[in-house]
Amino acid sequence: MSEHYESDTLQDFTPEAADARRVVVLISGNGSNLQALIDAQSHDALGGEVVAVVSNEPDAYGLTRAREAGIDAVVLPHREYESRDAYDGALIKVIERHEPDLVVLAGFMRILTPRFVQRFLGRLINIHPSLLPDYQGLNTHARALADGVAEHGCSVHFVTEELDGGPVLMQAVVEVAEDETEESLKQKVHAREHLIYPIAVKWCLEGRLQFTGEGATLDGTPLPLHGMRMSHADAAEELDEDLEA
């Protein structure tokens, strides 16, 4: 029997890296949530790679953010299409060319057709500036202030055919101050969007958050109506906000 035992035969073996999960982001404007995803990716905290950014507005600043990060930036102007369905058909083709595992809406200011939603159902998410189901639609901050609510915030949800009505995955709360303005509230909500959206994207890519016929689940457990909710205090601590009020 040989006295030489090659117990180290695998030491020099380097397995092939698994392909990174692929994300396509749709934008219409500034792209601050896109930047939050890019920043998370740069710190290996996104769980995947943003492979393309698509905008319906040619002058959207988010396209510049994408190019500066070395990400494929695609302009698909909706005004060049005769109908919403024709545009969404073209958009589907552009997205599928990049073979995404997840499609992320980050300030994409268009109502999507049922055809589009059904194509990506279960791997299409959005972030909305309110604590859904409250204040679906536009002008959420002004409406919340007009109603005199004590709490406002943002929600990440799966996209379904109901506008802002898909299962909620995650929320972050902000307490509304007595002297709150629409602009100050907007800034506080934006900060929370940038905090929770990368987390939600990561957990979707990891398969922890999933869409079911009954709603959404985390690690196989059904989520409540509001999803996971980060309190004002917890969000403020993460964002190093002044809690004195």
Side-chain angles (χ1 to χ4, degrees), residues 2-243:
S2 169
E3 295 181 359
H4 178 63
Y5 179 66
E6 295 186 6
S7 61
D8 58 347
T9 53
L10 295 179
Q11 287 185 0
D12 296 327
F13 173 71
T14 303
E16 291 185 12
D19 290 340
R21 307 291 281 174
R22 300 168 64 84
V23 180
V24 170
V25 182
L26 307 187
I27 64 167
S28 294
N30 181 55
S32 64
N33 272 306
L34 166 65
Q35 189 63 57
L37 300 181
I38 292 172
D39 291 345
Q41 177 179 313
S42 69
H43 293 94
D44 295 323
L46 191 64
E49 177 184 0
V50 178
V51 295
V53 172
V54 185
S55 175
N56 65 307
E57 296 288 356
D59 59 351
Y61 183 66
L63 292 167
T64 298
R65 296 181 189 272
R67 295 186 187 106
E68 290 179 347
I71 298 168
D72 190 9
V74 182
V75 178
L76 191 69
H78 64 274
R79 296 174 185 87
E80 296 183 2
Y81 292 82
E82 62 183 14
S83 68
R84 191 175 296 275
D85 190 64
Y87 179 80
D88 279 10
L91 183 58
I92 287 170
K93 291 180 181 178
V94 169
I95 292 171
E96 291 192 333
R97 190 180 304 149
H98 295 275
E99 300 179 336
D101 297 287
L102 188 68
V103 179
V104 175
L105 306 182
F108 189 62
M109 303 303 291
R110 286 185 59 78
I111 295 175
L112 299 167
T113 60
R115 171 190 181 187
F116 184 95
V117 171
Q118 289 302 320
R119 190 62 159 258
F120 299 107
L121 188 66
R123 53 192 180 107
L124 176 64
I125 64 173
N126 180 50
I127 191 158
H128 182 75
S130 77
L131 298 175
L132 292 172
D134 295 338
Y135 306 113
Q136 296 168 315
L138 301 175
N139 304 315
T140 61
H141 311 310
R143 290 157 62 195
L145 288 173
D147 286 346
V149 299
E151 290 186 337
H152 190 46
C154 56
S155 307
V156 181
H157 65 96
F158 279 120
V159 176
T160 62
E161 293 182 30
E162 179 186 354
L163 180 64
D164 301 326
V168 175
L169 306 177
M170 191 176 297
Q171 294 184 331
V173 176
V174 59
E175 293 177 356
V176 180
E178 290 185 6
D179 59 348
E180 203 78 73
T181 66
E182 187 175 344
E183 182 60 29
S184 66
L185 186 56
K186 176 182 176 181
Q187 294 305 317
K188 291 177 182 178
V189 171
H190 269 172
R192 282 155 177 77
E193 291 177 9
H194 303 161
L195 179 63
I196 67 171
Y197 215 8
I199 297 171
V201 168
K202 183 175 189 291
W203 288 1
C204 284
L205 292 174
E206 291 175 343
R208 298 189 62 194
L209 287 168
Q210 294 193 349
F211 179 86
T212 73
E214 288 72 42
T217 61
L218 173 65
D219 298 333
T221 300
L223 287 170
L225 180 65
H226 56 69
M228 295 168 287
R229 178 172 284 190
M230 180 178 288
S231 70
H232 172 81
D234 286 344
E237 182 178 359
E238 288 289 331
L239 296 167
D240 198 25
E241 291 179 348
D242 185 2
L243 276 170

